[in-house]
Amino acid sequence: MCALGTGIAPMRSLYQKRLAAKKRGEKVGPMSILFGSRTKKNDFLYGEEMNELKVKENLFEEIITAFSRD
């Protein structure tokens, strides 16, 4: 998944759908996300949630970020 300045909401709905499928016992393949925006503090709204899903649910292989103003 790639969210480069377009906002994270569309990507969030996709990974939440995959999480629900995984919890139902469906097999889901590996997933990485690339997110870019201006600042981590103001724009990475779901960063904590995503990191938690990576650690606790093993939902993401990678979370790659790029912030142009940090």
Side-chain angles (χ1 to χ4, degrees), residues 1-2 18 29-34 59-64:
M1 296 189 307
C2 188
R18 290 174 58 94
M31 178 173 49
S32 297
I33 187 165
L34 174 61
L59 190 65
F60 295 105
E61 280 193 8
E62 299 178 279
I63 300 170
I64 303 164

Side-chain angles (χ1 to χ4, degrees), residues 5-55:
T6 59
I8 196 68
M11 302 303 117
R12 186 172 185 239
S13 68
L14 292 174
Y15 73 69
Q16 285 179 336
K17 183 176 180 178
R18 290 174 58 94
L19 178 62
K22 184 177 180 181
K23 288 185 175 186
R24 286 191 307 267
E26 296 177 31
K27 185 175 180 178
V28 296
M31 178 173 49
S32 297
I33 187 165
L34 174 61
F35 175 77
S37 197
R38 289 185 179 192
T39 63
K40 185 174 184 176
K41 180 182 176 185
N42 294 325
D43 301 320
F44 198 33
L45 304 176
Y46 302 106
E48 192 173 306
E49 174 187 81
M50 291 167 51
N51 285 318
E52 188 174 308
L53 290 173
K54 181 180 179 186
V55 173

